[in-house]
């Protein structure tokens, strides 16, 4: 019989890198050498590369009842797999997802001050240390406007950026997972003093860059602010001309490896029909690629809009305006199929459907 010791290291690495996280966690207990191998940064990176080659996601994450949990569902059958407990905050406020990258989630409470990095695959939380902004400025004069999370590709370091607003302007601090510390940076987003960052359904992360939709009121306009995790610089990206002054719902997402915008609009001359116009950013230019007619009572889920076969994750009301359920919508036939999933009834969670793929980040 062949022993694991007789298998060449490269072949062994290639074999076990294909295994799911649950199996790998068990195999770490086989022997010290396997524990060291699976916990090593090189293996974690190799396993992550394998995961990135797969199409689709391993699971769907969403709030489906208990505000203190995220429920895990199968993306094919929509059967519930388990519920994952979120950290408990002393104020009793709920936690939300403010970013996702390589199987790692950035979650925080409503104040965005109590922040964690979380890998649901290995059930591991890492609470971030207290930020520096509130120490530099008087606490009551600073309000956290937005959080962003992603990978500094060049430095191979996961970072969290926190944008704070105080009486005389804007301040920014960046957390490094590799250094486990915050630092205040000189770069600030190119916005006016009177602005709002709609973090709830307006952020996106793609290739080391975080994007937020920003709305200004005097005069009224909307645009995108980006933050490069590696160079730590902000840039302003204008919306398509047709969307500069519209007041309809606009959300940013990642679609087919491109930054995209979903614009929900209503056409009064077509029987009050609702539509989603989908725009993608190509070579610094916006192009509208698709228009989807949707039922009036429903909205496309965020940030995971589409299924593998082109169906649309769709949320509709039931019982009253506070309750929503997840349905599948076929834009071609305009048929709606109920998945049986009832979403959370508390503010900010009723349309959030996250695609999640396993990883070993934070294992070591």
């Amino acid at each position: 019989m062949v022993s694991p010791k007789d298998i060449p290291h490269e072949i062994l690495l290639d074999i076990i890198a294909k295994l799911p996280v649950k199996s790998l966690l068990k195999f770490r207990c086989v022997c010290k050498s396997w524990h060291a191998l699976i916990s090593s940064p090189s293996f974690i990176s190799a396993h992550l590369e394998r995961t990135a080659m797969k199409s689709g996601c391993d699971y769907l994450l969403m709030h489906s009842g208990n505000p203190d949990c995220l429920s895990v569902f199968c993306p094919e059958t929509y059967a519930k797999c388990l519920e994952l407990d979120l950290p408990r905050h002393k104020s009793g406020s709920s936690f939300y997802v403010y970013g996702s990258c390589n199987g790692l989630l950035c979650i925080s409470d409503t104040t965005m001050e109590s922040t964690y990095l979380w890998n649901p695959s290995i059930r591991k939380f890492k609470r971030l240390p207290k930020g520096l902004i509130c120490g530099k400025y008087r606490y009551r004069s600073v309000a956290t406007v937005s959080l962003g999370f992603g990978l500094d590709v060049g430095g191979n370091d996961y970072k969290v950026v926190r944008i704070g607003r105080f009486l005389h302007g804007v301040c920014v601090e960046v957390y490094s997972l590799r250094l486990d510390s915050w630092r205040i940076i000189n770069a600030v987003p190119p916005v006016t003093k009177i602005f709002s960052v709609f973090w709830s359904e307006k952020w996106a992360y793609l290739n080391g860059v975080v994007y937020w939709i920003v709305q200004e009121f005097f005069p009224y306009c909307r645009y995108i602010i980006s933050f490069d995790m590696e160079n730590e610089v902000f840039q302003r990206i204008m919306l398509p001309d047709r969307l500069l002054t519209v007041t309809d719902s606009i959300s940013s997402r990642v679609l087919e490896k491109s930054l995209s915008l979903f614009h929900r609009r209503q056409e009064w001359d077509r029987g009050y029909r609702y539509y989603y116009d989908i725009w993608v950013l190509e070579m610094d230019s916006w192009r509208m690629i698709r228009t989807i007619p949707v039922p009036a009572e429903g909205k496309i889920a965020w940030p995971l809009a589409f299924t593998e076969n082109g169906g649309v994750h769709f949320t509709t009301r039931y019982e009253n305006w506070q309750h929503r359920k997840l349905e599948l919508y076929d834009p071609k036939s305009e048929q709606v199929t109920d998945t049986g999933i009832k979403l959370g009834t508390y503010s900010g969670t009723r349309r959030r459907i996250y695609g999640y793929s396993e990883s070993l980040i934070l294992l070591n």
Side-chain angles (χ1 to χ4, degrees):
M1 178 179 289
V2 178
S3 166
K5 296 180 180 179
D6 300 324
I7 302 175
H9 179 78
E10 294 77 11
I11 297 178
L12 179 63
L13 182 67
D14 185 65
I15 293 173
I16 63 176
K18 300 176 183 178
L19 297 175
V21 167
K22 185 176 181 180
S23 299
L24 292 172
L25 295 179
K26 293 180 179 179
F27 288 173
R28 285 208 309 165
C29 303
V30 171
C31 60
K32 290 183 179 180
S33 61
W34 280 37
H35 186 283
L37 171 64
I38 295 171
S39 303
S40 67
S42 59
F43 179 81
I44 292 174
S45 297
H47 183 267
L48 186 61
E49 290 177 6
R50 287 280 184 181
T51 301
M53 293 169 61
K54 297 187 300 184
S55 61
C57 58
D58 295 329
Y59 301 103
L60 300 178
L61 299 181
M62 64 195 83
H63 290 278
S64 65
N66 186 345
D68 297 323
C69 298
L70 271 180
S71 300
V72 181
F73 290 87
C74 172
E76 288 84 25
T77 66
Y78 296 95
K80 181 182 284 190
C81 303
L82 72 158
E83 289 200 337
L84 299 168
D85 292 330
L86 294 168
R88 293 186 178 275
H89 193 267
K90 59 183 178 181
S91 67
S93 62
S94 300
F95 278 78
Y96 301 104
V97 178
Y98 289 87
S100 175
C101 177
N102 293 340
L104 203 57
L105 305 180
C106 177
I107 63 173
S108 188
D109 65 336
T110 52
T111 68
M112 291 181 268
E113 297 296 333
S114 182
T115 306
Y116 293 78
L117 296 183
W118 178 34
N119 185 335
S121 303
I122 60 176
R123 312 290 195 274
K124 186 171 182 179
F125 291 95
K126 178 176 177 57
R127 182 167 186 171
L128 274 54
K130 187 176 180 180
L132 303 176
I133 289 178
C134 292
K136 183 175 181 179
Y137 305 98
R138 288 185 304 170
Y139 182 81
R140 291 184 179 180
S141 66
V142 179
T144 300
V145 175
S146 193
L147 286 176
F149 170 69
L151 176 65
D152 169 355
V153 179
N156 193 28
D157 186 16
Y158 293 90
K159 293 180 178 179
V160 178
V161 56
R162 177 186 285 136
I163 303 173
R165 179 176 59 193
F166 61 105
L167 185 61
H168 301 292
V170 179
C171 47
V172 180
E173 61 183 350
V174 174
Y175 169 82
S176 161
L177 177 60
R178 180 168 52 83
L179 300 176
D180 191 26
S181 62
W182 292 92
R183 55 190 172 81
I184 296 176
I185 64 174
N186 294 324
V188 293
V191 296
T192 62
K193 293 181 181 179
I194 304 175
F195 74 100
S196 294
V197 176
F198 291 90
W199 46 263
S200 61
E201 293 184 6
K202 308 296 180 181
W203 60 260
Y205 169 80
L206 177 66
N207 298 334
V209 181
V210 181
Y211 301 89
W212 299 272
I213 292 181
V214 176
Q215 178 173 319
E216 295 194 3
F217 298 97
F218 305 105
Y220 177 89
C221 67
R222 282 188 281 192
Y223 51 87
I224 293 174
I225 291 295
S226 69
F227 181 75
D228 188 307
M229 287 290 181
E230 181 176 357
N231 301 317
E232 296 184 351
V233 294
F234 290 94
Q235 287 188 336
R236 180 188 289 206
I237 302 172
M238 300 307 296
L239 299 184
D241 291 343
R242 286 166 55 179
L243 303 184
L244 287 177
T245 58
V246 298
T247 58
D248 306 311
S249 171
I250 301 176
S251 61
S252 57
R253 309 163 191 244
V254 175
L255 180 63
E256 297 178 356
K257 298 182 180 181
S258 298
L259 179 67
S260 68
L261 294 172
F262 280 49
H263 171 219
R264 186 175 188 262
R265 60 181 175 84
Q266 185 176 17
E267 290 195 3
W268 302 95
D269 58 344
R270 295 190 179 184
Y272 302 99
R273 289 294 304 271
Y274 283 85
Y275 299 85
Y276 273 90
D277 293 330
I278 302 177
W279 299 74
V280 295
L281 187 62
E282 299 176 342
M283 303 295 292
D284 299 325
S285 169
W286 291 103
R287 181 171 68 93
M288 192 173 75
I289 62 170
R290 189 177 180 185
T291 296
I292 301 176
V294 294
E297 69 276 8
K299 294 183 178 180
I300 295 179
W302 177 90
L304 187 63
F306 295 101
T307 65
E308 280 285 281
N309 58 8
V312 180
H313 287 123
F314 204 69
T315 68
T316 55
R317 297 190 182 104
Y318 71 98
E319 293 184 2
N320 58 52
W321 69 272
Q322 287 187 322
H323 296 80
R324 282 190 175 271
K325 58 184 178 180
L326 178 65
E327 297 181 325
L328 281 180
Y329 175 66
D330 184 341
K332 294 182 178 179
S333 65
E334 298 190 13
Q335 294 296 310
V336 176
T337 304
D338 191 353
T339 66
I341 299 176
K342 293 179 172 56
L343 302 175
T345 59
Y346 26 96
S347 176
T349 65
R350 292 190 292 272
R351 282 200 295 133
R352 298 186 179 195
I353 313 296
Y354 303 97
Y356 178 78
S357 294
E358 294 184 321
S359 82
L360 294 168
I361 305 296
L362 287 186
L363 183 61
N364 52 350

